[in-house]
Amino acid sequence: MKTEHAGPNRVSGWGRLSPSKTIRFTFDGQSYTGLEGDTLASALIANGVHLVGRSFKYHRPRGFLSAGPEEPNALVGVRRDDARRQPNVRATVQEVFDGMQAESQNRWPSLAFDAGAVNDGLSRFFPAGFYYKTFMWPKPAWERVYEPVIRSAAGLGEAPTQVDPDAYANQFAHVDVLIAGAGVAGLTAALAAAETGATVMVADEHAVMGGRLLSESGIRLDDQSGAHWAATTLAKLATMDNVTLLPRTTAWGYYHQNMVTLLERVTEHVARPDGDLPRERLWQVRAGRTIIATGAIERHMVFPDNDRPAIMLASAAQRFLNEYGVVVGSNIALYTAHDSAYAVARDLASAGANIVAVVDSRAKKSPAAEEAEATGLRVIANGSITETKGRLRVRTVTVQHGNSARNEVLEVDALLMSSGWTPSVHLYSQSRGKVVWEAERQRFIPGDNVQDCMSVGACAGTDDLSEMVEQAAEAGHAAGGSFGHKPTIHVTGSPAWTGGQIGASNGAQAGYTSKAFVDFQNDVTAKDIRLAVKEGFHSIEHVKRYTTNGMATDQGKTSNMHGLAIAAETLGKPVPQVGLTTFRAPYTPVTFGAIVNHNRGELFDVTRKTAMHDVAVEHGAVFEDVGNWKRAWYFPRGSEDMAAAVNRECKTVRTTVGLFDASTLGKIEVQGTDATRFMNIMYSNAWDKLAVGRTRYGIMLREDGYVYDDGVVGRMGDNHFHVTTTTGGAASVMNHMEDYAQTEFPDWNVWLTSISEQWAVMAVAGPKARDIISDLVEDIDLSNEAMPHMSVRTGKIAGIPTRLFRVSF
């Protein structure tokens, strides 16, 4: 059934890729062929490559664990040329393009023979937290020996050394409904919301939307296969003017007031990108309602030596087959505690792979197991895999039957595992929602919503597909205002899954010294978790930091629940009492370029210039940085240094006149019938008796009595004040005032407007100041009687509208 075209592990007739569209790329200098639409992971597996990296601490050989963004092992460097290099790219997300150069990381001199693997043999000297104890003595050795060695060993990929030539974009958007995730729940919700007429934005980090509908077989929606239904629904959404579809876009942060940040990979998959297009685009989306449809992540089994290349999640193998047409091996075993693995076994068997056995840790066979056995699959119930062998790829697994001493060795070239599914609650948690523990299924699911959001589908703990579709349709319809038609979708072939476990399996229990990995990226084992607890770290946050479990790019996607369960077991406490670590943004890695976008080079620290900046340049000004402003500091003449120039300028001002560009000062208009009441609250001074046309020096205090800001305030009308602030305090004073106006006194009639950039300011100082400006002033009487000290008048100077203050400064 296999074809040699584009790799020996391609299966004819499977997947969505066209065999006619081939792509050439390299991995560690070796040239390979892939198909257009392949990820680097699927293309390498198609070519029989499973070894793609080395682990961080022990430098153990590692292959692909997953087929998606949760991948902890397959982090590679990708480059187009010497300047365009990106380290720590997940090979399971990165699409191949013609001419792509990919490199493995964290190995020397080569991936197959890594000198750092000596750490694996010395692992007894590197237990959890060893760095907290080992490098304390002798003290002088820290700076000269320990720190340089640790710093040279830190990190995985190699950072670029040249200036990034790519451009990045930043875009703001406001929509009625934002949907994160485009699986069956996300697409159903999008269709329901769009048909109400609401503006809808759908973001999904995969290149092709559809989620697990693209990889799960047997499911039918409206008498169509899951993949065909997804394509039909996407085509319909694409024709609707009120819908924006964003594939290759990750929702990575959920902030206050329903703002969600998205990262769109615009040209990361293109061989020769258009120079006018950005590499990535950062979206900042403010949504009326957010629907979270981020699905669930499959958990691995925790057993001895569970990290060899070609040991991966069952769902990953299913996706590689059904979406990319790639089988992960010829002789495959499965180790599971959950029914979802049986559908994977059937698909692989249909594609021609030999399913050696399905090892099910559950004592009693589930209906799914019995059905699989009836089709000819071998099922070993109450079984455990207690050992794996194979240097650069798994070759054999040892199966223990029940609690007996009977062991069986199976020859395999791939091992798939599934201990169940963990709802992806990270966005919900970032929205400040509190997850709740579902004891029956041993998982955390969303609780009450804090912001205007709703979780639907697998991320909400909904397992039944029919219920999932109904829930998503209701959520989308409600988010769109409940107008129009609510779609009804008929579902058939939805499996009734049972099972699941968290924590260590047989052979990795307390007392065993085997390496049963919980966190693949940081080489954290089950015994490391237990050691942390025994050494006094009882909070899961402390366990996380002591062992590094769930840190780095993994962020606990695959490791969190297992680590939590092992810690709870060691403490003798229920899981919810141990707690849950915080899901911080970004949950999925985001490049610095995307976050910085335009703000680099000359724009890194944005320069603000006054209206008179160019005139100052013409007169040879030396500028000082005042916040982001460039302000003329002094004007040297000839060979004058700063002191000489300043002395000359001071003398000039005291004897004749001097000009000072004070445009950088903050300026705020306070208007409204309650403006005076508001000013009395904001400042320590009283403003009731300040006459129109008069000014007063104002002192603004913090609530603790300390001076917050100061400046001259002019009363332009009965309900109108012109407030000046310090240059550095302009933004903070405006925010301070707005905070009080909106939260403490929302019923007061007061409006605040920043006018810092709308009015240029020139201070004219010296004994001849009045004489200098008198011939230029229109409609203002400058006499002492008409304009006494601390007055403000309106008129024109040289034909320009002016607010003229006579003040001490």
Side-chain angles (χ1 to χ4, degrees):
M1 294 180 65
K2 296 179 183 177
T3 174
E4 295 299 316
H5 189 60
N9 291 332
R10 295 278 182 192
V11 184
S12 178
W14 290 74
R16 59 176 174 80
L17 308 185
S18 171
S20 64
K21 298 180 179 179
T22 59
I23 285 175
R24 300 293 296 179
F25 69 97
T26 65
F27 178 66
D28 281 351
Q30 177 69 42
S31 181
Y32 297 98
T33 301
L35 298 182
E36 185 179 299
D38 260 326
T39 63
L40 178 59
S42 65
L44 287 175
I45 294 175
N47 286 278
V49 178
H50 279 272
L51 175 64
V52 290
R54 292 278 176 164
S55 66
F56 177 61
K57 187 162 71 170
Y58 298 140
H59 285 248
R60 287 170 66 96
R62 289 286 165 80
F64 306 100
L65 177 69
S66 74
E70 67 271 25
E71 177 59 38
N73 289 335
L75 303 182
V76 299
V78 174
R79 71 176 184 174
R80 301 175 187 272
D81 50 48
D82 290 340
R84 291 178 169 87
R85 301 175 58 192
Q86 180 69 25
N88 298 323
V89 176
R90 292 156 296 159
T92 52
V93 174
Q94 175 65 55
E95 296 167 73
V96 292
F97 53 83
D98 209 43
M100 185 178 79
Q101 303 172 56
E103 298 176 341
S104 57
Q105 303 180 154
N106 199 46
R107 82 288 186 274
W108 182 86
S110 69
L111 184 57
F113 180 78
D114 179 15
V118 67
N119 289 358
D120 194 28
L122 300 174
S123 59
R124 69 180 62 185
F125 301 108
F126 305 123
F130 76 94
Y131 32 78
Y132 294 120
K133 309 168 187 176
T134 308
F135 307 114
M136 296 178 66
W137 183 90
K139 190 174 182 179
W142 172 253
E143 290 186 5
R144 299 179 183 179
V145 181
Y146 300 147
E147 186 178 23
V149 171
I150 292 173
R151 286 192 179 278
S152 64
L156 289 174
E158 183 179 345
T161 57
Q162 299 187 29
V163 175
D164 185 356
D166 289 315
Y168 300 83
N170 184 33
Q171 188 156 339
F172 294 87
H174 291 77
V175 295
D176 296 325
V177 185
L178 171 66
I179 301 174
V184 62
L187 292 180
T188 301
L191 189 61
E195 290 184 344
T196 68
T199 55
V200 179
M201 179 178 285
V202 187
D204 189 277
E205 55 192 336
H206 296 293
V208 177
M209 293 181 170
R212 300 206 65 218
L213 290 176
L214 305 181
S215 59
E216 287 190 12
S217 61
I219 296 175
R220 298 190 68 80
L221 294 91
D222 291 340
D223 294 325
Q224 305 173 71
S225 68
H228 190 265
W229 180 88
T232 302
T233 302
L234 284 165
K236 183 176 182 179
L237 290 170
T239 64
M240 303 176 77
D241 293 336
N242 58 325
V243 176
T244 301
L245 298 176
L246 294 176
R248 302 185 180 91
T249 303
T250 304
W252 59 267
Y254 199 139
Y255 300 93
H256 293 286
Q257 298 176 333
N258 246 29
M259 190 187 84
V260 180
T261 49
L262 314 174
L263 178 67
E264 180 186 4
R265 305 185 304 277
V266 180
T267 60
E268 290 287 80
H269 61 292
V270 181
R272 287 167 290 278
D274 186 333
D276 294 332
L277 291 176
R279 176 179 173 181
E280 295 174 319
R281 179 178 290 112
L282 179 67
W283 290 81
Q284 298 180 61
V285 183
R286 193 81 68 179
R289 172 168 290 186
T290 300
I291 296 178
I292 303 172
T294 47
I297 297 173
E298 192 172 29
R299 297 187 301 272
H300 62 279
M301 300 288 285
V302 180
F303 60 94
D305 297 319
N306 59 340
D307 66 324
R308 300 189 192 280
I311 299 179
M312 67 178 66
L313 297 173
S315 60
Q318 189 178 37
R319 185 177 177 210
F320 286 131
L321 174 64
N322 289 329
E323 190 168 352
Y324 302 106
V326 174
V327 289
V328 298
S330 298
N331 297 297
I332 303 172
L334 292 91
Y335 185 24
T336 186
H338 193 265
D339 287 342
S340 61
Y342 289 100
V344 180
R346 286 195 298 271
D347 285 354
L348 289 167
S350 298
N354 175 37
I355 305 302
V356 179
V358 180
V359 181
D360 198 319
S361 65
R362 293 171 288 181
K364 183 179 179 181
K365 292 180 182 177
S366 68
E370 292 175 345
E371 181 182 342
E373 201 168 38
T375 63
L377 289 177
R378 184 188 178 196
V379 178
I380 303 175
N382 197 23
S384 305
I385 292 181
T386 57
E387 185 180 33
T388 69
K389 288 186 178 180
R391 192 175 77 86
L392 300 180
R393 179 171 180 170
V394 64
R395 295 302 178 190
T396 65
V397 299
T398 301
V399 180
Q400 180 181 343
H401 290 258
N403 297 320
S404 68
R406 180 190 167 200
N407 291 332
E408 180 182 359
V409 177
L410 306 177
E411 292 188 3
V412 301
D413 58 5
L415 173 63
L416 312 180
M417 50 188 173
S418 175
S419 70
W421 297 79
T422 300
S424 187
V425 297
H426 61 284
L427 277 181
Y428 168 79
S429 296
Q430 290 173 8
S431 75
R432 293 177 291 122
K434 300 296 182 183
V435 295
V436 296
W437 175 248
E438 190 181 48
E440 180 183 356
R441 297 185 181 273
Q442 294 186 299
R443 61 188 182 181
F444 287 101
I445 59 175
D448 295 331
N449 296 315
V450 176
Q451 300 199 51
D452 197 348
C453 67
M454 179 176 289
S455 298
V456 296
C459 70
T462 306
D463 297 320
D464 181 81
L465 190 60
S466 297
E467 183 183 344
M468 187 182 298
V469 167
E470 178 61 28
Q471 180 190 60
E474 183 62 38
H477 197 235
S482 300
F483 300 107
H485 170 68
K486 183 176 77 172
T488 55
I489 301 168
H490 182 61
V491 178
T492 57
S494 175
W497 286 344
T498 62
Q501 72 172 54
I502 52 175
S505 302
N506 191 24
Q509 312 99 309
Y512 284 71
T513 59
S514 58
K515 289 190 179 74
F517 288 93
V518 175
D519 184 323
F520 293 91
Q521 190 164 93
N522 295 304
D523 279 332
V524 180
T525 63
K527 65 180 180 181
D528 289 330
I529 303 291
R530 296 189 183 99
L531 177 63
V533 173
K534 290 178 181 178
E535 296 200 353
F537 296 94
H538 295 175
S539 163
I540 195 61
E541 289 282 8
H542 293 161
V543 171
K544 171 182 175 179
R545 282 152 183 78
Y546 193 66
T547 63
T548 67
N549 186 62
M551 297 178 70
T553 64
D554 176 71
Q555 285 284 296
K557 296 179 183 70
T558 57
S559 61
N560 211 11
M561 292 305 298
H562 284 316
L564 181 57
I566 294 169
E569 179 188 31
T570 309
L571 286 165
K573 294 181 177 181
V575 168
Q577 288 187 19
V578 180
L580 187 65
T581 55
T582 303
F583 297 106
R584 293 179 175 85
Y587 182 71
T588 300
V590 176
T591 62
F592 286 115
I595 295 174
V596 173
N597 55 79
H598 302 295
N599 301 317
R600 54 185 181 149
E602 291 184 353
L603 298 178
F604 178 74
D605 189 13
V606 180
T607 299
R608 303 176 72 181
K609 298 178 180 178
T610 71
M612 292 170 274
H613 179 86
D614 292 341
V615 175
V617 171
E618 292 175 6
H619 286 77
V622 174
F623 291 90
E624 64 175 332
D625 293 325
V626 186
N628 292 123
W629 291 98
K630 292 290 185 182
R631 187 166 69 189
W633 198 4
Y634 60 94
F635 295 79
R637 293 179 179 174
S639 60
E640 284 183 336
D641 59 11
M642 178 178 174
V646 169
N647 285 336
R648 173 180 50 76
E649 291 171 7
C650 289
K651 182 178 180 181
T652 301
V653 172
R654 291 179 178 274
T655 56
T656 54
V657 72
L659 308 178
F660 172 68
D661 184 357
S663 303
T664 63
L665 293 175
K667 295 169 281 294
I668 302 170
E669 293 216 333
V670 181
Q671 298 187 66
T673 55
D674 291 311
T676 305
R677 292 174 67 191
F678 186 75
M679 291 292 292
N680 287 337
I681 292 292
M682 288 290 100
Y683 285 86
S684 61
N685 316 53
W687 301 92
D688 302 84
K689 296 182 179 179
L690 183 67
V692 174
R694 302 291 290 180
T695 66
R696 179 172 293 166
Y697 173 67
I699 301 177
M700 180 177 288
L701 304 182
R702 298 191 319 210
E703 290 182 349
D704 57 7
Y706 281 80
V707 174
Y708 188 71
D709 202 81
D710 68 339
V712 174
V713 177
R715 190 161 196 169
M716 312 306 298
D718 290 334
N719 302 316
H720 182 187
F721 292 87
H722 177 117
V723 173
T724 66
T725 75
T726 59
T727 296
S732 62
V733 170
M734 182 70 183
N735 289 338
H736 181 64
M737 286 182 162
E738 283 283 11
D739 182 37
Y740 274 84
Q742 294 183 30
T743 63
E744 303 300 323
F745 312 108
D747 55 331
W748 286 12
N749 292 318
V750 59
W751 290 271
L752 307 167
T753 306
S754 173
I755 54 171
S756 295
E757 294 180 334
Q758 281 64 38
W759 289 88
V761 178
M762 176 62 76
V764 185
K768 296 187 177 182
R770 192 198 309 263
D771 298 335
I772 293 292
I773 68 171
S774 60
D775 291 339
L776 303 174
V777 172
E778 305 171 26
D779 305 324
I780 301 175
D781 186 347
L782 296 181
S783 65
N784 282 325
E785 296 76 19
M787 190 176 182
H789 182 238
M790 298 302 285
S791 298
V792 57
R793 300 289 185 267
T794 59
K796 291 184 178 181
I797 292 184
I800 299 172
T802 300
R803 291 176 178 175
L804 183 61
F805 288 73
R806 184 183 177 189
V807 293
S808 297
F809 184 77

